[in-house]
Amino acid sequence: MTSPHAESHGEPGTDRRRWFALAIVMTAAFMDLVDVTIVNVALPTIQHDEGASTGQIQWITAGYALAFAALLITGGRLGDIFGRMGSPLLERS
């Protein structure tokens, strides 16, 4: 039985793919943080311009989180179903 480290030395592109996958995940996490920050910064303007109450602002925030969670779950399920079919960068030789 070989260790995962021994296998990565035999295949030259393995480490590059791992770093590429890490970069994609880190970029997605950063974009999520930026997205949530933009929504939170826009809330006072929405409240002022639309005359929304505090309760309505809470509903806006909850609705945004719910929509994001639904898309995240859907994307995860599609990833489970289709796997790596469409991604030539992550295919194994």
Side-chain angles (χ1 to χ4, degrees), residues 3-67:
S3 70
H5 298 293
E7 291 175 6
S8 67
H9 292 294
E11 195 175 329
T14 303
D15 289 333
R16 183 179 301 173
R17 286 186 295 217
R18 288 182 182 169
W19 283 109
F20 185 68
L22 177 64
I24 289 173
V25 170
M26 297 283 291
T27 302
F30 175 74
M31 291 305 294
D32 179 39
L33 177 65
V34 168
D35 193 33
V36 170
T37 302
I38 289 170
V39 169
N40 284 325
V41 168
L43 285 176
T45 303
I46 293 170
Q47 187 174 16
H48 180 265
D49 291 349
E50 302 298 327
S53 68
T54 304
Q56 290 170 331
I57 293 297
Q58 289 175 343
W59 275 106
I60 291 170
T61 306
Y64 180 79
L66 182 63

